[in-house]
Amino acid sequence: MATSGKHWVTEPSGYLPPKLDSSGEGAYLPKTCIEVFRDTCARHGNRTALALKRPVNGVIPSEWQFWTWNQYWAESRVFAKALHALKVDKFGIVNVLGFNSPEWFLANMGAIMAGGICAGIYATNTAEACMYISQHSKAAVVVVEDHKQLAKYASMPKGSLPLLKALVVWNELALDAALASRCPAPVYLWKDFMAMGSNSSVTDAALDARLDTVLPGHCSTLIYTSGTTGPPKAVMISHDNCTWTAKNLKDNYIDLGHEDRVCTFLPLSHIAAQIIDLHVPMALGATTYFCQPDALKGSLTVTMKDVRPTFFFGVPRVWEKIQEKMVQVGRSGSAVKKMVAAWAKSIGTEHSRRAQYGNDGGAPCGYACASKIVFQNVKAALGLDQAKACFTAAAPISVDTLNYFASLDIPVYEVFGQSECTGPHTVSYPGCWKIGACGQPMYGTETRIDPATKELCYRGRHIFMGYMYMPDKT
């Protein structure tokens, strides 16, 4: 069976030329992730790129640890040199398993800088599911968060990962030697792996020589599907898919710049988190703040109040959990507070109605007062008082939840898409939204309903390359 066609490829080393339009967003100059990274360092190298509060003996410090864009670039290159030192070939694949962290970003960009491909694995995956992805992707290196994740690989049968050259562990001060001895490849602590890169004989010139062969039409990332309709498929995302989608979003949908902030907490093995938390900030020179691993169990709002993100993305369950907590708090308020809240929410509902697509966009009588008394305080309590826009995607969200937040003057804009179109295909945004709808097709894309099958069809530079090693599925 053929492994490529006019519009698709299924080999990780395959090349698919970006399909440029003659004008508009479809005519953007194709760039690799590396070129965008380099350009941002040139413009904003000394500004903050990444920020983390890493617990010490279980205690979260009050101060953030920061990485500038230049430091992010330099450490990614060190990771790439370590891959070179291990003789990981071009298009070699690095798996990353763990909660969002700077190491996740560094391993991702380090793999790409080495001419390779990164494939994230959900932190909640079983050992069997991890083995499937590492086997299918023919992983050369697997990077894991801690001993708990390393134990999944220690449990795998000997010889199950014959191509694996190394396992790398971050977030551990010392290696569990007994655990490491059962693993299918040599195990390194993060600091030791990075030291191997720093001390290797791999020169900057050698790294750049590999890096310069990477083209926008090469694969940069694998996103594994959930596997609900069979074995998980590896969605091949090209450099152009990532950089074009990020640029399109930043140019057209909200007014963002290098001073903006985002909180990362959704799994980076999902395309939505990679685009929103990694690629859009990289295109902007903005800052990504890492939440705590228990974000979805209660600490998310604590981090958000600290960071005050200027744009925020949450899957429907995140919005539902926030709603449930707020409703619970509201029930415990006094009769007067409940009366004021009901009045303000009626104002917010009307303001939301007027702001939706096809309406006048004006503020109803009493809006300024309701905003000062209620809305501003609610937004501050959620850490959303500086948010320019809030989004949701990845699953259907109830109209009741959207109406609830709209009544509090927090419009939540729906986005529709999937891994196979690098995240978004239709986007709602300020001035162009309607509750119960998920927006209009992104600029530079095309959409139609097939008259025979009634299937929704779309095309553009966000469409993936193919399912790796699965031409029949592609």
Side-chain angles (χ1 to χ4, degrees), residues 63-274:
E63 299 298 321
W64 291 90
Q65 178 184 357
F66 297 108
W67 284 255
T68 66
W69 282 101
N70 284 339
Q71 289 170 327
Y72 182 10
W73 171 270
E75 291 190 34
S76 296
R77 284 179 67 89
V78 170
F79 189 95
K81 286 185 177 182
L83 295 179
H84 271 260
L86 283 175
K87 299 188 175 357
V88 175
D89 296 330
K90 187 180 178 183
F91 306 114
I93 292 170
V94 175
N95 293 164
V96 186
L97 170 63
F99 186 73
N100 308 13
S101 72
E103 289 85 358
W104 214 113
F105 278 43
L106 293 166
N108 177 80
M109 292 311 302
I112 290 171
M113 283 183 164
I117 300 168
C118 184
I121 302 177
Y122 284 100
T124 53
N125 273 14
T126 63
E128 291 76 16
C130 292
M131 185 170 71
Y132 173 84
I133 290 176
S134 293
Q135 286 179 332
H136 181 264
S137 65
K138 301 179 182 177
V141 173
V142 174
V143 185
V144 301
E145 179 178 8
D146 52 21
H147 286 142
K148 177 181 177 182
Q149 300 293 4
L150 184 65
K152 295 176 182 178
Y153 283 84
S155 70
M156 296 177 190
K158 292 293 183 182
S160 57
L161 298 173
L163 301 178
L164 190 64
K165 296 176 180 290
L167 286 142
V168 184
V169 186
W170 85 83
N171 220 16
E172 296 287 358
L173 296 177
L175 199 59
D176 182 331
L179 187 64
S181 69
R182 301 198 302 273
C183 288
V187 182
Y188 300 84
L189 288 174
W190 178 269
K191 64 181 179 63
D192 296 327
F193 189 77
M194 295 294 277
M196 179 169 62
S198 296
N199 300 326
S200 74
S201 60
V202 178
T203 64
D204 287 333
L207 183 62
D208 290 338
R210 170 84 66 88
L211 186 152
D212 290 342
T213 66
V214 177
L215 301 173
H218 282 138
C219 184
S220 70
T221 300
L222 299 177
I223 303 294
Y224 273 85
T225 62
S226 62
T228 53
T229 58
K233 298 183 286 291
V235 176
M236 296 171 59
I237 303 292
S238 72
H239 286 258
D240 186 62
N241 290 154
C242 291
T243 60
W244 183 86
T245 302
K247 178 174 173 57
N248 199 338
L249 291 173
K250 83 174 182 67
D251 283 358
N252 294 306
Y253 296 102
I254 40 176
D255 182 19
L256 297 173
H258 62 269
E259 294 185 345
D260 284 289
R261 304 176 298 281
V262 64
C263 291
T264 179
F265 62 96
L266 295 172
L268 286 164
S269 46
H270 194 284
I271 190 61
Q274 285 202 25

Side-chain angles (χ1 to χ4, degrees), residues 8 14 18 21 31 60 77 105 206 212 224 243 292 330 369 382 387 406 435 437:
W8 56 276
D21 293 338
K31 290 188 174 183
I60 300 172
R77 284 179 67 89
F105 278 43
D212 290 342
Y224 273 85
T243 60
Q292 297 300 316
C369 185
L382 295 176
I435 287 177

Side-chain angles (χ1 to χ4, degrees), residues 18-58:
K19 301 172 185 64
L20 274 64
D21 293 338
S22 58
S23 62
E25 286 74 16
Y28 285 159
L29 178 69
K31 290 188 174 183
T32 66
C33 300
I34 303 159
E35 289 173 308
V36 172
F37 197 175
R38 182 190 287 122
D39 292 347
T40 295
C41 288
R43 297 193 316 272
H44 307 296
N46 292 321
R47 296 190 64 86
T48 300
L50 312 175
L52 171 72
K53 287 184 176 180
R54 176 157 287 155
V56 178
N57 296 324

Side-chain angles (χ1 to χ4, degrees), residues 326-348:
M326 292 175 69
V327 168
Q328 183 181 10
V329 171
R331 286 175 179 157
S332 64
S334 66
V336 173
K337 284 186 176 180
K338 289 178 181 178
M339 185 169 61
V340 171
W343 164 76
K345 288 169 74 174
S346 69
I347 299 288

